[in-house]
Amino acid sequence: MQTLALSVIKSDQPEKWQEILSDLITDPKELLADLKLDTTANPLAALAAKGLAQFPLKVPRPFAARMEPGNWDDPLLRQVWPSSLEDVESDSLSLDPLQETHFNKTPGLLQKYHGRVLLTAAPHCAVHCRYCFRRHFDYAANTPGRREWSESIAYISENPDISEVILSGGDPLAAGDSYLAWLLAEVDRIPHVETIRIHSRLPIVIPQRVTAQLCSMLSELRSKSVFITHCNHPQEIDGEVQAALKAIRHAGSTLLNQAVLLKGVNNYADSLIKLSTTLFQSDVLPYYLHLPDRVTGTGHFIVNESEALKLMASVRSHLPGYLVPQLVREDPGNNSKTRLA
Ligand SMILES: *Cc1c(COP(=O)(O)O)cnc(C)c1O
Ligand code: SF4
């Protein structure tokens, strides 16, 4: 679709979001100083030596600005702070609990479920969420350049059963618009692809990423588009985030959110209820609430199933059905995500 590629205005000036992306907070000391956190009083202050070496600190400044100074329990800080709890080893944790490497069909393409494939469209994220199930993922080996994508595009073209293509990552919106426009156009021109889905945390952590240009790319797609944001706590949504989300909705995408249930972040009924209502104010409906996967380095976030079910009962008793996310877990080898009743 040439129109799509042509609508991308070439500019030598980095855009605002690109400046923010190249100026992330990467030094834990800087984050501590910005938030005026007292390191003597809290056990969380000790850093993860191993965890940080594997998965460095990355926090966009607009996200840090929504944290409450002086509060070690801040739900946004908890999601990005590399405490020494990450270095705790446990037999129940592993590097690849989802066995994703088994589902790699062609470079950058995973297929686990009928009718839909997932492309690891970008090799990095704007933020490093400490609970990330892909924190050990070898993006360098799994993110093709434009030329290498041809094998995956051919795979989709040759399989008429594939009706939905999911751009995930890393974070697909961490890539620039011209690459994104190119990849979207490659997928959009395959006649049997009915839906293109984008999974991204960028509208939440750097809302400036949702530019007019990005919105016009979405609205020009022939396929239906679904945009899944990733927000875990209502405090992540400020006025700018809300405007960005509304702009995506306005561009014609169905807008949904997935969250992860995280101990110390959002394992409280009132947080989950407010998350749903705040998302709805921003034109977003809740989709999934994931139980965290048992990945090395993330044990301190795990909420057990019986606690999760109790929380969901409370959420259900306070909200209309359309604001209740589906509680799911991922079990390798299943033909869909596992719903917990
Ligand atoms: C989660 C996931 C999907 C999407 O599943 P839905 O239930 O349709 O949201 C697709 N492919 C892979 C590899 C996934 O992990
Ligand atoms: S944005 Fe998603 S993929 Fe990236 S670090 Fe966070 S949870 Fe992981």
Side-chain angles (χ1 to χ4, degrees):
M1 306 274 116
Q2 248 181 349
T3 48
L4 198 60
L6 287 176
S7 70
V8 175
I9 303 148
K10 286 269 182 331
S11 159
D12 296 335
Q13 288 296 316
E15 294 186 71
K16 182 78 192 153
W17 70 268
Q18 287 169 316
E19 285 171 13
I20 296 170
L21 193 56
S22 59
D23 181 33
L24 301 172
I25 301 173
T26 53
D27 180 353
K29 284 197 221 77
E30 185 182 350
L31 189 57
L32 288 174
D34 282 358
L35 294 174
K36 302 180 177 58
L37 286 163
D38 178 1
T39 53
T40 53
N42 200 295
L44 285 176
L47 287 167
K50 240 167 121 183
L52 262 178
Q54 287 163 346
F55 195 57
L57 181 85
K58 262 193 184 186
V59 187
R61 290 173 199 277
F63 189 71
R66 284 169 243 150
M67 296 174 188
E68 188 195 349
N71 182 9
W72 275 107
D73 294 329
D74 183 275
L76 279 60
L77 176 66
R78 285 287 183 102
Q79 294 179 54
V80 299
W81 180 255
S83 87
S84 60
L85 293 171
E86 289 185 18
D87 289 345
V88 175
E89 305 266 347
S90 156
D91 289 346
S92 72
L93 304 172
S94 74
L95 294 177
D96 181 18
L98 306 183
Q99 296 164 22
E100 285 205 315
T101 45
H102 291 248
F103 301 100
N104 230 288
K105 303 278 177 192
T106 51
L109 183 148
L110 294 172
Q111 184 167 24
K112 276 195 202 173
Y113 305 137
H114 179 80
R116 48 221 199 274
V117 295
L118 185 150
L119 306 182
T120 51
H124 54 280
C125 292
V127 60
H128 275 173
C129 312
R130 307 313 301 180
Y131 54 84
C132 182
F133 72 100
R134 291 220 171 99
R135 55 183 286 157
H136 306 287
F137 192 76
D138 186 357
Y139 284 117
N142 283 288
T143 310
R146 288 192 195 201
R147 198 173 305 136
E148 292 95 40
W149 273 121
S150 60
E151 210 186 313
S152 294
I153 300 296
Y155 177 85
I156 300 168
S157 304
E158 288 155 15
N159 284 281
D161 278 356
I162 299 171
S163 58
E164 177 166 8
V165 176
I166 302 169
L167 306 193
S168 179
D171 195 310
L173 296 193
D177 282 343
S178 65
Y179 166 79
L180 204 57
W182 171 82
L183 187 58
L184 285 170
E186 288 290 299
V187 173
D188 199 42
R189 71 158 63 96
I190 302 171
H192 56 264
V193 171
E194 291 163 13
T195 306
I196 296 179
R197 193 200 304 191
I198 295 177
H199 275 257
S200 175
R201 189 145 163 69
L202 261 148
I204 305 295
V205 298
I206 307 181
Q208 293 83 354
R209 175 65 184 96
V210 182
T211 56
Q213 185 165 290
L214 177 71
C215 291
S216 78
M217 274 197 260
L218 292 175
S219 62
E220 286 170 34
L221 292 172
R222 168 196 59 81
S223 314
K224 293 287 288 177
S225 66
V226 177
F227 197 106
I228 305 209
T229 58
H230 177 171
C231 178
N232 300 313
H233 193 279
Q235 193 183 313
E236 291 174 57
I237 302 177
D238 65 4
E240 244 176 312
V241 172
Q242 186 167 70
L245 295 170
K246 283 176 176 271
I248 296 169
R249 179 75 195 92
H250 198 72
S253 292
T254 295
L255 190 51
L256 305 170
N257 182 66
Q258 63 170 4
V260 184
L261 185 57
L262 300 164
K263 190 196 267 179
V265 174
N266 61 4
N267 62 328
Y268 315 104
D270 57 346
S271 303
L272 294 172
I273 292 165
K274 186 140 189 248
L275 176 60
S276 276
T277 55
T278 309
L279 285 165
F280 187 55
Q281 291 301 318
S282 311
D283 293 348
V284 186
L285 285 172
Y287 181 41
Y288 282 154
L289 178 64
H290 288 265
L291 281 180
D293 304 303
R294 299 190 161 268
V295 180
T296 305
T298 68
H300 54 297
F301 285 118
I302 290 176
V303 176
N304 67 41
E305 242 174 80
S306 64
E307 183 189 347
L309 290 171
K310 266 192 222 137
L311 283 167
M312 287 310 294
S314 177
V315 169
R316 246 191 313 275
S317 70
H318 281 82
L319 291 174
Y322 59 86
L323 292 186
V324 180
Q326 300 182 60
L327 181 67
V328 291
R329 184 184 62 214
E330 205 157 327
D331 297 320
N334 274 11
N335 60 10
S336 73
K337 309 219 191 275
T338 311
R339 266 79 179 163
L340 290 114

